[in-house]
Amino acid sequence: MRSLLISISFLLCYSNTTKGQQWIDKKYTYDSLLNVVYGSAADFNGEIVSLKMDIYLPKCDDSNQEVRKPVLMWIHGGAFLAGDKNDASIQDLSRQFARRGYVTASIDYRVGFIADDEDHFCNFPLYNCVFATDSAEWVRAYYRAVQDGKGALRFLVNRHDEFSLDLNNIFVAGESAGALAALGVGLMDTVVERPLQTFAIESTPLPHANSLACPYNAGKIFTGNSITRPDLGPIAGSVEPTAFDYTIKGIGNMYGAMYDDLLEHRSTNHPKPAIYSFHQPCDIVVPIDSADVYWGYTWCFSNGFGCGGITNNNVTLYGSRTFSNWNSQNDYGYTIHNDFTNINFPFSFLFGPGSCLDQTNNPCHAYDNKVLREHNLAAFFAELISTNPVCDSGFISGINEHNLKGIRIYPNPSNEILLIESDIEKPIANWIIYDLTGIIQIQENGLNTNQFTIDVSDFSPGTYFIQTTDFEGKSVLTKIVKQ
């Protein structure tokens, strides 16, 4: 049943109104290419790691070679210490935007940093894993993610003919640390924006013994008495150079921030991407304004759990509201749309919305309503897309249209009664009518007939779908129109 509901929303040609919702409505089914290696690079310990992505390709009638698709690359969160392309939220977003007609990709990037050489105890799993040897490690981890994101994007660009990509309509988005990386991928393009900490700096002591259990240290071999920190190289990184020009039209910033002002300096040959930001003022991990990373957690751990705050060698982040204000105050000229909620962190451990205890079950470093925010992002991006012509024919997924031949429905369109006839050997066992959103309107089970009628006189005018199923479970989905 679930696959059928998905199938209905994938159909491409509902009505003229649907075309007005291009890039917003979920009309397409898709194929996926999983675990595609897009490059390799050295991690924080100098070990070469393989970088992979999952690609989702909306199914389309590609007989028209002029049809191209916009691109949206998603970057997972995890504080630059954990996570991968299989993050459930990022996978879901990649699929939902593929259903809207984008070629989407969920990418891996290098995670981890050099932990400090002291123990930090608190009654929370992996608490000691968030302490870096110095603030430079936070910035270097961020920078590696930006380099990898740029390389992943170039990997797709270099295969624009293979995947029918529109290089003038590229988007990048992420959640949390992934949003920081997405902003860096879309905005960092001049050498003055490169953080000084990413050049060669002094070596640092080996991590303390307890930190070897941290996820980012799994399988790592540390030798000698210190770890060297070489120059990390140019902003673009070294993965997948390209000779093709491409344009990043928009950035999706889901509760992210910047390490520095990336709006001030912009290469003259690069247009300014529009930015959609969702953030909650009560976010205690990434501030909506400006504060150290984990600013609210530091307060909660110090005032409620009796632990030391996560302030050791942290860096200041400039959140969504801060850089939006930079844009307006300095007349930078970026189009920025802000979706901000209104609950502030109350600096209370026990009481009130957004308090430390409340955020145990209602975290503010997350969506208040993911479906709404996803829709708002899609609507914002849709206004930016200039892709033309649009693929306007696709496929039904999960339904074998050829299993149940000989079904006739008439009159269709109808304003009262539908007559359904079948001349196949197996009789109809049940039928269901869905609206365009996949919601069941009416159904009947326990049939054993080759002919029946359905009264649709109470239906609102519009397009619906009827699924008929025989006793072997073979089904067909047919469009019907109520006048």
Short mmCIF file of all heavy atoms in Angstrom, two decimals, residues 326-364:
data_model
loop_
_atom_site.label_atom_id
_atom_site.label_comp_id
_atom_site.label_asym_id
_atom_site.label_seq_id
_atom_site.Cartn_x
_atom_site.Cartn_y
_atom_site.Cartn_z
N TRP A 326 24.12 41.07 8.75
CA TRP A 326 25.28 41.58 8.01
C TRP A 326 24.85 41.97 6.59
O TRP A 326 25.25 43.03 6.09
CB TRP A 326 26.36 40.51 7.89
CG TRP A 326 27.13 40.22 9.14
CD1 TRP A 326 27.19 40.97 10.27
CD2 TRP A 326 27.94 39.07 9.37
NE1 TRP A 326 28.00 40.37 11.20
CE2 TRP A 326 28.49 39.20 10.67
CE3 TRP A 326 28.28 37.95 8.62
CZ2 TRP A 326 29.33 38.24 11.22
CZ3 TRP A 326 29.12 36.99 9.16
CH2 TRP A 326 29.64 37.14 10.45
N ASN A 327 24.06 41.11 5.97
CA ASN A 327 23.64 41.36 4.59
C ASN A 327 22.85 42.65 4.46
O ASN A 327 23.10 43.47 3.56
CB ASN A 327 22.82 40.19 4.08
CG ASN A 327 22.39 40.34 2.64
OD1 ASN A 327 23.21 40.51 1.75
ND2 ASN A 327 21.08 40.28 2.40
N SER A 328 21.90 42.86 5.38
CA SER A 328 21.06 44.06 5.28
C SER A 328 21.81 45.31 5.74
O SER A 328 21.69 46.38 5.13
CB SER A 328 19.78 43.87 6.10
OG SER A 328 20.08 43.57 7.45
N GLN A 329 22.59 45.20 6.79
CA GLN A 329 23.30 46.36 7.33
C GLN A 329 24.41 46.86 6.41
O GLN A 329 24.67 48.07 6.32
CB GLN A 329 23.87 46.02 8.71
CG GLN A 329 22.81 45.82 9.78
CD GLN A 329 23.37 45.17 11.04
OE1 GLN A 329 24.58 44.92 11.14
NE2 GLN A 329 22.49 44.90 12.00
N ASN A 330 25.05 45.93 5.71
CA ASN A 330 26.17 46.30 4.84
C ASN A 330 25.80 46.36 3.37
O ASN A 330 26.67 46.60 2.53
CB ASN A 330 27.32 45.31 5.04
CG ASN A 330 27.87 45.32 6.44
OD1 ASN A 330 28.29 46.36 6.95
ND2 ASN A 330 27.87 44.17 7.08
N ASP A 331 24.52 46.13 3.09
CA ASP A 331 24.02 46.19 1.72
C ASP A 331 24.84 45.28 0.79
O ASP A 331 25.26 45.67 -0.29
CB ASP A 331 24.07 47.64 1.20
CG ASP A 331 23.21 47.84 -0.04
OD1 ASP A 331 22.27 47.05 -0.24
OD2 ASP A 331 23.49 48.77 -0.81
N TYR A 332 25.02 44.03 1.22
CA TYR A 332 25.78 43.07 0.42
C TYR A 332 25.03 42.64 -0.84
O TYR A 332 25.63 42.20 -1.80
CB TYR A 332 26.12 41.84 1.25
CG TYR A 332 27.20 42.05 2.29
CD1 TYR A 332 27.15 41.37 3.50
CD2 TYR A 332 28.28 42.90 2.06
CE1 TYR A 332 28.15 41.53 4.46
CE2 TYR A 332 29.27 43.08 3.02
CZ TYR A 332 29.20 42.39 4.20
OH TYR A 332 30.19 42.55 5.15
N GLY A 333 23.71 42.69 -0.80
CA GLY A 333 22.94 42.40 -2.00
C GLY A 333 22.52 40.96 -2.19
O GLY A 333 22.08 40.57 -3.28
N TYR A 334 22.62 40.14 -1.15
CA TYR A 334 22.16 38.76 -1.25
C TYR A 334 20.66 38.69 -0.97
O TYR A 334 20.13 39.44 -0.14
CB TYR A 334 22.88 37.87 -0.23
CG TYR A 334 24.32 37.57 -0.57
CD1 TYR A 334 25.33 38.48 -0.24
CD2 TYR A 334 24.68 36.39 -1.22
CE1 TYR A 334 26.65 38.22 -0.55
CE2 TYR A 334 26.00 36.13 -1.52
CZ TYR A 334 26.98 37.04 -1.19
OH TYR A 334 28.30 36.78 -1.50
N THR A 335 20.00 37.77 -1.65
CA THR A 335 18.62 37.46 -1.33
C THR A 335 18.62 36.39 -0.24
O THR A 335 19.11 35.28 -0.46
CB THR A 335 17.86 36.94 -2.56
OG1 THR A 335 17.83 37.96 -3.55
CG2 THR A 335 16.44 36.54 -2.19
N ILE A 336 18.12 36.72 0.93
CA ILE A 336 18.09 35.79 2.06
C ILE A 336 16.66 35.71 2.58
O ILE A 336 16.05 36.73 2.91
CB ILE A 336 19.05 36.22 3.18
CG1 ILE A 336 20.50 36.26 2.67
CG2 ILE A 336 18.94 35.27 4.37
CD1 ILE A 336 21.51 36.68 3.73
N HIS A 337 16.16 34.49 2.65
CA HIS A 337 14.83 34.27 3.24
C HIS A 337 15.01 33.54 4.57
O HIS A 337 15.63 32.48 4.63
CB HIS A 337 13.95 33.43 2.32
CG HIS A 337 12.62 33.08 2.94
ND1 HIS A 337 11.58 33.97 3.01
CD2 HIS A 337 12.20 31.95 3.56
CE1 HIS A 337 10.55 33.40 3.62
NE2 HIS A 337 10.90 32.18 3.97
N ASN A 338 14.49 34.12 5.65
CA ASN A 338 14.64 33.55 6.98
C ASN A 338 13.34 32.93 7.47
O ASN A 338 12.29 33.58 7.47
CB ASN A 338 15.08 34.63 7.98
CG ASN A 338 16.44 35.19 7.65
OD1 ASN A 338 17.35 34.45 7.28
ND2 ASN A 338 16.60 36.50 7.79
N ASP A 339 13.42 31.68 7.88
CA ASP A 339 12.33 31.01 8.61
C ASP A 339 12.82 30.79 10.03
O ASP A 339 13.52 29.81 10.32
CB ASP A 339 11.99 29.66 7.95
CG ASP A 339 10.84 29.76 6.98
OD1 ASP A 339 10.22 30.83 6.90
OD2 ASP A 339 10.56 28.75 6.29
N PHE A 340 12.48 31.70 10.92
CA PHE A 340 12.93 31.61 12.31
C PHE A 340 11.72 31.38 13.21
O PHE A 340 10.66 32.00 13.01
CB PHE A 340 13.64 32.89 12.76
CG PHE A 340 14.90 33.21 11.99
CD1 PHE A 340 15.38 34.51 11.92
CD2 PHE A 340 15.63 32.21 11.36
CE1 PHE A 340 16.55 34.81 11.25
CE2 PHE A 340 16.80 32.49 10.68
CZ PHE A 340 17.26 33.80 10.61
N THR A 341 11.87 30.53 14.19
CA THR A 341 10.83 30.36 15.20
C THR A 341 11.01 31.44 16.28
O THR A 341 11.88 32.29 16.17
CB THR A 341 10.89 28.95 15.81
OG1 THR A 341 12.18 28.73 16.38
CG2 THR A 341 10.63 27.88 14.74
N ASN A 342 10.18 31.39 17.32
CA ASN A 342 10.19 32.51 18.28
C ASN A 342 10.47 32.10 19.72
O ASN A 342 10.28 32.91 20.64
CB ASN A 342 8.86 33.27 18.21
CG ASN A 342 7.67 32.37 18.45
OD1 ASN A 342 7.81 31.26 18.94
ND2 ASN A 342 6.48 32.84 18.09
N ILE A 343 10.91 30.87 19.96
CA ILE A 343 11.22 30.46 21.33
C ILE A 343 12.70 30.66 21.59
O ILE A 343 13.55 30.12 20.87
CB ILE A 343 10.84 28.97 21.57
CG1 ILE A 343 9.34 28.77 21.40
CG2 ILE A 343 11.27 28.53 22.95
CD1 ILE A 343 8.90 27.33 21.51
N ASN A 344 13.03 31.44 22.61
CA ASN A 344 14.41 31.68 22.99
C ASN A 344 14.86 30.68 24.05
O ASN A 344 14.05 30.13 24.79
CB ASN A 344 14.58 33.11 23.53
CG ASN A 344 14.35 34.16 22.46
OD1 ASN A 344 15.01 34.15 21.42
ND2 ASN A 344 13.42 35.07 22.72
N PHE A 345 16.15 30.46 24.11
CA PHE A 345 16.70 29.65 25.19
C PHE A 345 16.53 30.41 26.49
O PHE A 345 17.07 31.52 26.64
CB PHE A 345 18.17 29.34 24.92
CG PHE A 345 18.83 28.51 25.99
CD1 PHE A 345 18.25 27.34 26.43
CD2 PHE A 345 20.04 28.91 26.54
CE1 PHE A 345 18.85 26.57 27.42
CE2 PHE A 345 20.66 28.15 27.52
CZ PHE A 345 20.06 26.98 27.96
N PRO A 346 15.79 29.86 27.47
CA PRO A 346 15.45 30.64 28.68
C PRO A 346 16.53 30.61 29.76
O PRO A 346 16.32 31.19 30.82
CB PRO A 346 14.18 29.95 29.17
CG PRO A 346 14.37 28.52 28.76
CD PRO A 346 15.10 28.56 27.44
N PHE A 347 17.66 29.96 29.51
CA PHE A 347 18.67 29.78 30.55
C PHE A 347 18.03 29.21 31.82
O PHE A 347 18.26 29.67 32.93
CB PHE A 347 19.41 31.09 30.84
CG PHE A 347 20.31 31.50 29.71
CD1 PHE A 347 19.87 32.42 28.76
CD2 PHE A 347 21.59 30.97 29.57
CE1 PHE A 347 20.69 32.79 27.70
CE2 PHE A 347 22.40 31.34 28.52
CZ PHE A 347 21.96 32.25 27.58
N SER A 348 17.21 28.20 31.58
CA SER A 348 16.56 27.48 32.67
C SER A 348 16.81 25.99 32.45
O SER A 348 16.67 25.50 31.33
CB SER A 348 15.05 27.76 32.69
OG SER A 348 14.39 26.86 33.55
N PHE A 349 17.16 25.30 33.52
CA PHE A 349 17.41 23.87 33.37
C PHE A 349 16.13 23.06 33.35
O PHE A 349 16.01 22.11 32.58
CB PHE A 349 18.31 23.38 34.51
CG PHE A 349 18.69 21.93 34.36
CD1 PHE A 349 19.63 21.52 33.43
CD2 PHE A 349 18.09 20.96 35.15
CE1 PHE A 349 19.97 20.19 33.27
CE2 PHE A 349 18.42 19.63 35.01
CZ PHE A 349 19.36 19.24 34.06
N LEU A 350 15.15 23.46 34.17
CA LEU A 350 13.97 22.62 34.36
C LEU A 350 12.70 23.16 33.72
O LEU A 350 11.82 22.38 33.34
CB LEU A 350 13.70 22.43 35.86
CG LEU A 350 14.71 21.61 36.65
CD1 LEU A 350 14.36 21.65 38.13
CD2 LEU A 350 14.70 20.17 36.16
N PHE A 351 12.56 24.46 33.59
CA PHE A 351 11.24 25.02 33.33
C PHE A 351 11.16 25.77 32.01
O PHE A 351 12.08 26.51 31.64
CB PHE A 351 10.82 25.96 34.47
CG PHE A 351 10.86 25.32 35.83
CD1 PHE A 351 11.86 25.65 36.73
CD2 PHE A 351 9.92 24.36 36.19
CE1 PHE A 351 11.92 25.05 37.98
CE2 PHE A 351 9.97 23.76 37.43
CZ PHE A 351 10.97 24.10 38.33
N GLY A 352 10.03 25.58 31.34
CA GLY A 352 9.71 26.39 30.18
C GLY A 352 10.13 25.78 28.85
O GLY A 352 11.04 24.95 28.79
N PRO A 353 9.46 26.23 27.79
CA PRO A 353 9.86 25.78 26.44
C PRO A 353 11.29 26.18 26.12
O PRO A 353 11.71 27.30 26.41
CB PRO A 353 8.87 26.53 25.53
CG PRO A 353 7.72 26.91 26.40
CD PRO A 353 8.30 27.13 27.76
N GLY A 354 12.06 25.27 25.57
CA GLY A 354 13.44 25.56 25.22
C GLY A 354 14.42 25.38 26.36
O GLY A 354 15.62 25.57 26.17
N SER A 355 13.92 25.01 27.56
CA SER A 355 14.82 24.77 28.68
C SER A 355 15.65 23.52 28.42
O SER A 355 15.35 22.73 27.51
CB SER A 355 14.04 24.60 29.99
OG SER A 355 13.23 23.43 29.92
N CYS A 356 16.67 23.31 29.23
CA CYS A 356 17.54 22.15 29.04
C CYS A 356 16.74 20.85 29.07
O CYS A 356 16.92 19.98 28.20
CB CYS A 356 18.62 22.12 30.12
SG CYS A 356 19.65 23.60 30.21
N LEU A 357 15.88 20.71 30.05
CA LEU A 357 15.10 19.49 30.16
C LEU A 357 14.11 19.35 29.02
O LEU A 357 13.93 18.26 28.48
CB LEU A 357 14.36 19.46 31.51
CG LEU A 357 13.64 18.14 31.84
CD1 LEU A 357 14.64 16.99 31.92
CD2 LEU A 357 12.90 18.27 33.17
N ASP A 358 13.48 20.44 28.65
CA ASP A 358 12.52 20.41 27.54
C ASP A 358 13.20 19.95 26.25
O ASP A 358 12.61 19.21 25.46
CB ASP A 358 11.89 21.78 27.34
CG ASP A 358 10.89 21.81 26.19
OD1 ASP A 358 9.92 21.03 26.23
OD2 ASP A 358 11.10 22.58 25.24
N GLN A 359 14.44 20.35 26.05
CA GLN A 359 15.12 20.01 24.81
C GLN A 359 15.58 18.56 24.76
O GLN A 359 16.05 18.09 23.72
CB GLN A 359 16.29 20.96 24.57
CG GLN A 359 15.83 22.39 24.31
CD GLN A 359 16.81 23.21 23.51
OE1 GLN A 359 17.42 22.72 22.56
NE2 GLN A 359 16.97 24.47 23.88
N THR A 360 15.43 17.85 25.86
CA THR A 360 15.68 16.41 25.82
C THR A 360 14.73 15.73 24.83
O THR A 360 15.13 14.84 24.08
CB THR A 360 15.50 15.80 27.22
OG1 THR A 360 16.38 16.45 28.13
CG2 THR A 360 15.80 14.31 27.21
N ASN A 361 13.47 16.18 24.84
CA ASN A 361 12.47 15.60 23.94
C ASN A 361 12.11 16.51 22.78
O ASN A 361 11.57 16.04 21.77
CB ASN A 361 11.19 15.26 24.73
CG ASN A 361 11.43 14.20 25.78
OD1 ASN A 361 12.08 13.18 25.52
ND2 ASN A 361 10.91 14.43 26.97
N ASN A 362 12.38 17.81 22.93
CA ASN A 362 12.04 18.77 21.88
C ASN A 362 13.26 19.61 21.53
O ASN A 362 13.30 20.81 21.83
CB ASN A 362 10.90 19.68 22.35
CG ASN A 362 9.66 18.90 22.73
OD1 ASN A 362 9.04 18.25 21.90
ND2 ASN A 362 9.30 18.96 24.01
N PRO A 363 14.26 18.99 20.93
CA PRO A 363 15.50 19.73 20.67
C PRO A 363 15.27 20.90 19.72
O PRO A 363 14.54 20.80 18.73
CB PRO A 363 16.41 18.67 20.04
CG PRO A 363 15.48 17.65 19.47
CD PRO A 363 14.31 17.61 20.40
N CYS A 364 15.91 22.01 20.05
CA CYS A 364 15.82 23.18 19.18
C CYS A 364 16.89 23.16 18.09
O CYS A 364 16.83 23.96 17.16
CB CYS A 364 15.95 24.47 20.01
SG CYS A 364 14.54 24.79 21.08
#
